[in-house]
Amino acid sequence: MSPRPKQLSLNDIFTDCLESLTNDKPRFFALLDENLDLDGLIPVTFWYHFHQHEGRPREYPLTAFIRALIIQRIFSIPTDSLLLIFLQYSREFREFCGFVKVPDASKITRFKQDFIENLRVMFDQLVELTEPVCQAIDATRASMTIFDTSGIEAYVQENNPKYADSIIKRLKAWKKAVGAPENYDPYKAAYASMPTHAFANPEIKQMYINGHFCYAHKFGMITNGLGIVRDIAFYDADYIAVHPEIEVGKKSDAPDEDKSLADAKALAPTLEDFFKKHPDFKPGVFLGDSAFDSIDIYAKLLGQGGIGFEKAFIPLNARSSPSYPDCPLNVEGVPSCPNNSTLPMKPEGNTSNLRCGRPTFKFVCPKMSWQKCEDGKYRRRTSCEKPCTNSPCGRMFYIYPEKSLRAFPGTVRGTEEWDETYKIRVTVEKSINHFKDSFCIAGRKTRNAATLHADLLLAGITQQVIVLLADRIHKHQYLRSLKPLIAS
């Protein structure tokens, strides 16, 4: 009989973490100091702002705050109070950061709130430094732009599960009492009756994330195909004031529909701001989910005068499926046989042999094949029993992408290229989860938007530092996380 596993107590966990800090991490500190100049990554403007004259000298150096907050995220220290405990008990940690004495928690919070813009500048500069690294590793994936939104659940009473459950129970009881029709959905009704924001902070909006209601601070994230974050947009009051088109209130009792509307409105401003900050970054391939499937977005991404992407990999959304009068589109956006919608036409690639010189996509009869004729030449011939045209080669259909960007956004759905490329879109979701879990963005017991915004930027800064360090030590397998390296 195997012995019962030992249940770990909070004291055991703290002891293990402290032992790791005092024994294992000095080797990692040396690795950082030998291969990366962390202090040199801080922008000059950050130094000037931090040391501007305020009547008394700074008690704690700027580099100490930056180093401590980066290490906090690399080692997934969940709270600032626990970070301060580690600093208190680990002399090596204090010396690496540069603290003569340990600051209190209010100093950490004030640092985040006072220097958000400086952290933003530092993050953007590090993105510029890591871009050549990403290009050298995989230029194809590095040129991809992937966007998604999410939220950081706030520490408010509305996020207590009992809050929503009580509303749903009342609506279920009301449905039973009055004999409401069967199509009455108490869950949708609960969503419609809930307030749009938390009582404690109007900036904490109601959202529908991963299949559940919550009150959260919304943000958008841009990554490349390698999963390295390129930009972070925090949709707080200041951002909405500059981009009022992003804010979307409840339009219906359908949370999925409202989320799609909000995400679609956030896309264009976020991408425009990103490429404005990084003019040397050229838009290549965009990947997004079906929330961005609208004619206006395709025109913004691919059309003349838009952002300038070459291709956009966005699945069709069932809420609005386009069709052509004689060749309807199937669920993958490929024209089908006019007489049988279950037979997709065969794509023959893109061509520009028309007199106008415009690029087109060519499709041929699904029952067409190349056959050898009497003169010895191979020609298209259809085997259709009821052809829709008098041509012996069968029906041919041309698509003009600039006239139908939604149907053909620079590529053809259902092809091998589409399937293989669209799989990469999941990297943005992995990056968001990595920020929430490994960098401990989720579960913060704060309602302050500025603090959460700073935490997001510090997580982004940490990932750029990891990329630079992994490149310097020639271990690109640790591009997104150094934990395997530390544990080895």
Side-chain angles (χ1 to χ4, degrees):
M1 183 176 179
S2 60
R4 294 181 60 185
K6 178 183 177 182
Q7 183 176 0
L8 292 177
S9 65
L10 184 61
N11 181 65
D12 294 332
I13 296 173
F14 173 77
T15 303
D16 291 342
C17 290
L18 185 58
E19 182 181 354
S20 178
L21 273 171
T22 55
N23 295 328
D24 298 334
K25 293 190 179 176
R27 181 172 61 87
F28 177 69
F29 294 157
L31 186 69
L32 273 174
D33 283 335
E34 292 169 3
N35 295 278
L36 207 60
D37 182 12
L38 283 177
D39 302 345
L41 299 177
I42 302 175
V44 176
T45 54
F46 202 161
W47 289 95
Y48 284 152
H49 187 196
F50 186 82
H51 291 290
Q52 66 183 1
H53 182 67
E54 293 184 349
R56 64 174 66 181
R58 292 281 185 183
E59 186 176 5
Y60 306 99
L62 171 61
T63 55
F65 283 113
I66 295 295
R67 284 172 171 248
L69 292 171
I70 288 176
I71 294 298
Q72 177 185 10
R73 280 146 188 83
I74 290 177
F75 291 100
S76 302
I77 301 175
T79 64
D80 293 343
S81 58
L82 189 57
L83 170 67
L84 297 176
I85 291 175
F86 288 157
L87 284 168
Q88 184 73 40
Y89 286 94
S90 175
R91 176 178 56 82
E92 292 83 357
F93 193 10
R94 286 197 307 275
E95 291 178 351
F96 172 78
C97 295
F99 283 118
V100 177
K101 66 175 183 177
V102 179
D104 55 43
S106 64
K107 291 288 194 300
I108 301 289
T109 302
R110 197 173 306 136
F111 174 82
K112 294 178 181 179
Q113 296 177 358
D114 290 347
F115 300 103
I116 290 180
E117 290 306 315
N118 299 102
L119 292 172
R120 161 66 68 183
V121 172
M122 182 175 179
F123 169 71
D124 290 336
Q125 289 190 9
L126 287 173
V127 168
E128 293 279 351
L129 290 177
T130 55
E131 182 64 15
V133 177
C134 296
Q135 291 289 341
I137 295 172
D138 191 331
T140 300
R141 291 203 174 202
S143 63
M144 294 178 179
T145 301
I146 313 174
F147 175 77
D148 201 3
T149 63
S150 188
I152 306 172
E153 295 187 39
Y155 191 63
V156 292
Q157 67 171 355
E158 288 84 357
N159 279 332
N160 189 324
K162 295 180 180 179
Y163 179 81
D165 288 345
S166 62
I167 297 176
I168 294 171
K169 286 181 180 178
R170 287 199 303 268
L171 291 172
K172 284 183 176 180
W174 177 86
K175 176 182 178 180
K176 183 177 181 181
V178 303
E182 289 298 325
N183 60 357
Y184 176 81
D185 190 341
Y187 292 93
K188 288 186 177 181
Y191 168 76
S193 64
M194 288 178 183
T196 58
H197 58 79
F199 177 79
N201 186 348
E203 290 192 39
I204 303 173
K205 305 293 185 181
Q206 186 194 31
M207 296 182 64
Y208 190 69
I209 303 174
N210 298 331
H212 72 284
F213 301 106
C214 67
Y215 287 79
H217 293 278
K218 185 169 184 174
F219 69 94
M221 180 177 291
I222 296 175
T223 72
N224 57 24
L226 296 169
I228 305 303
V229 175
R230 304 287 82 192
D231 196 34
I232 300 170
F234 191 79
Y235 303 125
D236 57 3
D238 293 336
Y239 197 96
I240 298 299
V242 179
H243 303 287
E245 68 275 17
I246 291 180
E247 189 169 22
V248 177
K250 291 181 179 179
K251 301 294 183 183
S252 65
D253 59 357
D256 284 324
E257 183 71 12
D258 290 344
K259 184 180 185 302
S260 295
L261 289 171
D263 290 355
K265 290 203 171 188
L267 175 63
T270 304
L271 291 177
E272 289 173 347
D273 290 349
F274 170 64
F275 287 110
K276 188 180 297 182
K277 289 185 295 186
H278 306 286
D280 293 334
F281 290 18
K282 303 302 180 184
V285 175
F286 175 82
L287 288 84
D289 60 23
S290 59
F292 307 123
D293 177 37
S294 74
I295 295 175
D296 292 339
I297 287 180
Y298 288 106
K300 191 68 177 178
L301 295 174
L302 305 167
Q304 293 183 354
I307 297 175
F309 283 98
E310 299 174 1
K311 300 179 181 181
F313 290 79
I314 303 173
L316 292 176
N317 196 320
R319 56 185 164 85
S320 54
S321 57
S323 62
Y324 291 92
D326 52 352
C327 288
L329 296 180
N330 61 19
V331 294
E332 294 176 338
V334 176
S336 302
C337 173
N339 297 330
N340 187 351
S341 60
T342 62
L343 292 177
M345 300 184 74
K346 295 180 180 179
E348 284 202 353
N350 57 338
T351 177
S352 301
N353 58 359
L354 301 180
R355 291 183 180 180
C356 62
R358 294 175 179 174
T360 61
F361 286 100
K362 182 179 180 181
F363 293 85
V364 298
C365 176
K367 294 187 178 182
M368 186 279 297
S369 61
W370 289 89
Q371 298 179 10
K372 189 173 183 179
C373 300
E374 295 178 356
D375 58 2
K377 295 182 179 180
Y378 284 86
R379 292 184 174 88
R380 297 182 183 88
R381 290 293 182 262
T382 180
S383 59
C384 182
E385 298 176 355
K386 297 180 180 180
C388 56
T389 177
N390 295 327
S391 172
C393 61
R395 181 65 180 270
M396 293 187 185
F397 195 79
Y398 291 88
I399 296 295
Y400 298 84
E402 65 178 20
K403 292 184 179 180
S404 186
L405 294 175
R406 182 170 181 260
F408 294 92
T411 183
V412 180
R413 293 179 173 87
T415 61
E416 183 179 355
E417 178 195 16
W418 177 278
D419 295 338
E420 293 301 318
T421 303
Y422 191 71
K423 291 178 182 177
I424 303 174
R425 195 203 71 84
V426 73
T427 56
V428 69
E429 297 178 353
K430 290 181 178 179
S431 294
I432 290 174
N433 290 332
H434 184 61
F435 270 49
K436 288 183 177 181
D437 297 335
S438 296
F439 291 154
C440 303
I441 297 300
R444 311 288 282 180
K445 291 189 176 182
T446 180
R447 303 168 184 168
N448 188 277
T451 303
L452 287 174
H453 189 185
D455 285 331
L456 267 174
L457 292 173
L458 285 163
I461 289 170
T462 301
Q463 190 181 68
Q464 309 310 307
V465 170
I466 291 173
V467 171
L468 292 174
L469 180 61
D471 182 61
R472 297 286 172 82
I473 63 177
H474 307 291
K475 293 185 178 181
H476 292 155
Q477 64 269 32
Y478 304 125
L479 203 64
R480 298 182 62 221
S481 177
L482 293 174
K483 286 187 175 62
L485 174 65
I486 299 168
S488 61

